[in-house]
Amino acid sequence: MHKGFLTIYWRDMLRFVRFRTLLFTSLVQPALWLAFFGVAMSNNFERLTATMQVIPGVRAVGYLTFIGAGVIAMTTLFTSLFGGTVLLFDKNWGLMRETLSSPLPRIHIIIGIGLSAMTKSFIQATVIMVFGLLLGVQFFEGYTAIQVLVSLFGIMLFIGAFSLGFLFLSAAIAITMESPEGMQAVITLLTMPFFFTSNALYPANSFPPVLRALSTVNPLTHLVSGIRYFAIGSEFSSIGLRYTYTQGEVIVSFLALLAFAGIMFLIARWRFTRVTVT
């Protein structure tokens, strides 16, 4: 079996570790976002909902816990979408031409970059969870050690499927674009709709019908739902609303992420088989 994708993976991970500024900002930025935005919004929401009646028999969590899953998902989205940028730089610097002319199957380039983006997402999610717990995020509250391990495994499964899907999309865009500025504009255009039509920051049930329909098919919504199911529980209340996630719904969300990743992989593979780098 050809294992050339491991070389692509290892090269990108070495670049990630050796570029200290990139490593530092990619790990610290989401933690700071949770610390400043999350804490500020949490205080405001708790003040607004202080007079709301507590739902009996349902565990109540603060907005900081609610948004914690959204911050993990947001970070995974940004990391994955910008992960394909390395391919564009390789293309512009002539390294991609050498790679494509080698005996390495082109599909291994996609797989290697995809695995490196998934690893980065795992690292960032772990940092955010640890930092969130220090801030008071109520993840895994009341869980046994075995339940925490199972929940972490479930969260990483969701993050892995999600990150692969958006990395494959990013790779397809990168191999098509000619300039980093153009790719950044496209990624920025894609990021906002995905983020703001999801349930990362607020409940999607209160959306207008059109936005609610978009939220239902939004991969980010499925990721956030999976993280909340494993990290908070199948039933809880926050900002005055009750949330219930069944096992069936979580399985459907995971299958939707797998389907999205599969479709994006086919698109990326199609683009790489057609590309000619001079």
Side-chain angles (χ1 to χ4, degrees):
M1 178 181 176
H2 204 301
K3 298 181 180 179
F5 67 91
L6 293 176
T7 303
I8 303 295
Y9 166 81
W10 189 244
R11 172 177 176 264
D12 194 48
M13 289 306 300
L14 285 177
R15 176 163 41 191
F16 175 68
V17 173
R18 288 175 178 175
F19 288 177
R20 300 298 174 84
T21 303
L22 175 63
L23 177 63
F24 179 79
T25 56
S26 63
L27 295 179
V28 173
Q29 182 178 355
L32 292 178
W33 205 86
L34 177 63
F36 292 111
F37 180 81
V39 171
M41 291 298 294
S42 178
N43 289 339
N44 280 283
F45 271 106
E46 288 177 3
R47 182 179 301 175
L48 291 172
T49 58
T51 58
M52 292 184 178
Q53 186 176 1
V54 178
I55 302 175
V58 179
R59 177 194 170 200
V61 299
Y63 183 71
L64 185 62
T65 301
F66 181 84
I67 199 179
V71 173
I72 295 173
M74 175 198 71
T75 305
T76 305
L77 173 66
F78 291 168
T79 300
S80 303
L81 274 178
F82 281 97
T85 308
V86 296
L87 298 174
L88 180 58
F89 283 113
D90 286 351
K91 178 181 174 183
N92 290 342
W93 293 342
L95 298 175
M96 182 60 67
R97 180 178 63 250
E98 304 297 329
T99 305
L100 294 177
S101 61
S102 69
L104 180 70
R106 295 189 175 191
I107 191 175
H108 283 243
I109 302 174
I110 308 171
I111 295 175
I113 292 295
L115 292 177
S116 68
M118 186 169 62
T119 303
K120 296 172 191 176
S121 297
F122 289 161
I123 295 172
Q124 290 176 322
T126 302
V127 170
I128 295 171
M129 281 190 282
V130 171
F131 188 72
L133 291 173
L134 295 176
L135 286 177
V137 172
Q138 298 169 293
F139 281 174
F140 315 119
E141 194 170 87
Y143 287 22
T144 64
I146 298 298
Q147 288 175 323
V148 171
L149 291 177
V150 172
S151 297
L152 286 173
F153 180 73
I155 290 172
M156 293 309 170
L157 278 180
F158 269 79
I159 290 175
F162 179 90
S163 62
L164 284 177
F166 276 95
L167 188 282
F168 294 149
L169 172 61
S170 178
I173 297 172
I175 206 65
T176 304
M177 303 298 295
E178 297 297 334
S179 68
E181 294 80 8
M183 183 172 180
Q184 185 175 7
V186 173
I187 290 176
T188 303
L189 181 65
L190 289 173
T191 301
M192 294 300 102
F194 277 114
F195 186 56
F196 288 110
T197 60
S198 73
N199 58 350
L201 299 181
Y202 28 67
N205 293 336
S206 57
F207 286 0
V210 175
L211 292 182
R212 196 181 309 153
L214 291 175
S215 175
T216 303
V217 298
N218 187 344
L220 193 63
T221 296
H222 294 294
L223 174 60
V224 174
S225 297
I227 295 175
R228 286 183 180 142
Y229 173 80
F230 286 107
I232 304 175
S234 59
E235 187 178 24
F236 61 91
S237 65
S238 183
I239 53 178
L241 297 175
R242 181 176 181 175
Y243 302 88
T244 303
Y245 298 102
T246 65
Q247 288 185 354
E249 291 172 339
V250 172
I251 291 173
V252 169
S253 291
F254 183 64
L255 293 177
L257 292 179
L258 288 179
F260 175 73
I263 293 171
M264 292 301 103
F265 175 76
L266 293 177
I267 293 175
R269 181 179 182 182
W270 171 68
R271 288 302 307 148
F272 269 75
T273 55
R274 286 177 162 269
V275 70
T276 300
V277 179
T278 58

